[in-house]
Structure formats: structure tokens, C-alpha cells
């Protein structure tokens, strides 16, 4: 193999090796779904003080509430959100909108997607279908879902994978822009002109 061919082949081999090695700590996070029309910014509209309520639906209590809030807080694009599970946990100068919240459903039922994640999140019925622990995340505004995604975690590494993948979850659930495939690839549904 000559040097030129080797120099082209090396990044592919290196990238593949990193993906395989990194796969041990990476969760499988599916592509997000968005249902938004006139929201200027997920974060500033949903959490004016950068504090948002986190609702955890997990009858098995897989992780303590503090672990969830620590793992998901301060990730993604600025302004970065801090999550709380109790509205009383905010400071006196902070404002929270309880209707705007992030919902995390561990082992969701097949009906827990779309607006149902905001109105009637249910667990169960999906046990032993996969060797992964499935968690559905949804950013809700009242009874309406704004954005949602689903992640599959290795049960033995659930806590470490939640921390390791919090950035990706935040970027997907609270994007700065959503690509419009019709015309302008930088046009965002958050903007009224789009």
C-alpha cells in the first residue's frame, strides 16, 4: 500500500475504532421529533430564568431525582438550563413555568409518544423486548409536546450513559435552529418569517 492510499485509509480506520470503543459508553439516541410553529426559543420561552421543571415517570425509581437533575443540567447551547424536580427548589429571584417541563419516561408504554407524553405518560408493557433500557424524553408546554426523542441505555451503565449523553439530549430537545428542507436550510420554525 502506498503512502497516499494509506493516508486516506487511516482516518477511516481511526474513526471506526473510536466509534467501536466509544460505543461502550454511548447510548443509542434516536432522531428527535419537533412540533413547533411560533416559539422564538425553546429555552428562553420555556425557562425565562434558565430553570425548568423535570418530571420523571419511573415507578421502579431506577435513579434518584438528584442524579437525573445533575445529569441533565447545564448542557447544550447557551443559555444552559438547570433542572429541578420540585418547583420549591428555585431561588427567590428565579421564575419557573410549571407548564413548561421536560418529561422523562423510563420504559414507556407504546402509547406514550406525542402529546400523550405530556398528558398521560405511562410505563410498562415494553419489558424484555430489548436488552436496552428505553427512556422517552419530551419537552412539554402544557398538554402539547414541543420536541421529543427516545434513548436506549444499557441497564448496567444507565447512570454513566445518562451523564455521557446529556449534551446530545439537550441539543436534540432544545435546538438553536431546525432545518427547513423546503427553502432555506437555516430557516427556523421559531422565526415568524419562516
Amino acid at each position: 500500500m502506498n503512502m497516499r492510499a494509506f493516508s486516506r485509509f487511516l482516518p477511516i480506520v481511526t474513526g471506526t475504532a473510536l466509534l467501536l470503543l466509544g460505543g461502550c459508553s454511548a447510548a443509542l439516541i434516536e432522531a428527535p421529533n419537533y412540533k413547533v410553529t411560533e416559539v422564538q426559543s425553546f429555552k428562553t420561552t420555556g425557562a425565562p430564568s434558565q430553570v425548568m421543571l423535570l418530571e420523571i415517570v419511573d415507578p421502579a425509581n431506577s435513579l434518584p431525582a438528584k442524579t437525573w437533575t445533575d445529569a441533565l443540567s447545564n448542557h447544550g447551547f447557551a443559555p444552559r438550563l438547570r433542572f429541578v424536580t420540585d418547583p420549591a427548589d428555585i431561588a427567590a429571584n428565579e421564575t419557573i413555568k410549571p407548564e413548561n417541563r421536560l418529561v422523562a419516561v423510563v420504559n414507556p408504554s407504546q402509547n406514550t409518544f406525542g402529546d400523550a407524553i405530556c398528558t398521560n405518560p405511562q410505563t410498562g408493557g415494553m419489558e424484555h423486548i430489548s436488552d436496552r433500557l428505553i427512556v422517552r424524553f419530551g419537552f412539554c408546554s402544557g398538554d402539547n409536546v414541543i420536541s421529543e426523542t427516545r434513548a436506549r441505555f444499557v441497564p448496567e451503565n444507565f447512570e454513566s450513559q445518562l451523564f455521557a449523553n446529556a449534551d446530545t439530549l439537550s441539543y436534540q430537545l432544545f435546538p438553536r435552529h431546525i432545518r427547513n428542507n423546503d427553502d432555506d436550510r437555516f430557516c427556523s420554525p421559531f422565526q415568524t418569517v419562516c
Side-chain angles (χ1 to χ4, degrees):
M1 178 181 286
N2 67 28
M3 277 313 268
R4 176 175 269 163
F6 182 74
S7 66
R8 290 182 185 160
F9 183 68
L10 185 62
I12 295 170
V13 171
T14 305
T16 304
L18 287 174
L19 282 173
L20 291 174
L21 290 173
C24 297
S25 67
L28 175 62
I29 300 173
E30 296 180 3
N33 292 318
Y34 301 107
K35 295 183 181 175
V36 61
T37 54
E38 296 180 8
V39 179
Q40 289 182 352
S41 165
F42 281 162
K43 291 184 179 177
T44 55
T45 302
S49 297
Q50 287 82 50
V51 180
M52 184 176 284
L53 189 64
L54 172 63
E55 180 183 332
I56 305 160
V57 182
D58 181 15
N61 292 321
S62 305
L63 296 174
K66 179 149 178 33
T67 302
W68 282 94
T69 57
D70 288 349
L72 296 173
S73 293
N74 301 312
H75 291 285
F77 297 112
R80 293 185 169 182
L81 296 175
R82 178 173 64 90
F83 289 97
V84 295
T85 55
D86 183 353
D89 291 341
I90 64 170
N93 63 340
E94 292 178 320
T95 303
I96 194 167
K97 293 182 172 181
E99 69 274 12
N100 294 337
R101 66 209 184 279
L102 178 62
V103 179
V105 184
V106 179
N107 186 29
S109 70
Q110 289 185 333
N111 297 327
T112 300
F113 65 91
D115 290 342
I117 196 170
C118 305
T119 58
N120 189 24
Q122 298 176 358
T123 62
M126 300 291 285
E127 296 93 341
H128 312 298
I129 290 178
S130 171
D131 59 347
R132 299 279 182 131
L133 180 65
I134 299 169
V135 181
R136 184 172 285 281
F137 295 90
F139 169 39
C140 298
S141 178
D143 291 344
N144 301 313
V145 68
I146 302 297
S147 61
E148 65 179 324
T149 190
R150 187 169 67 169
R152 297 170 188 257
F153 298 96
V154 175
E156 302 80 44
N157 302 329
F158 182 30
E159 183 175 344
S160 61
Q161 287 186 337
L162 184 63
F163 275 91
N165 292 282
D167 260 343
T168 302
L169 289 167
S170 184
Y171 284 121
Q172 286 192 355
L173 291 167
F174 305 101
R176 186 172 286 170
H177 300 285
I178 294 178
R179 185 174 177 168
N180 182 339
N181 292 325
D182 296 335
D183 301 318
D184 181 1
R185 67 185 191 110
F186 296 110
C187 192
S188 167
F190 305 145
Q191 300 171 7
T192 57
V193 297
C194 293

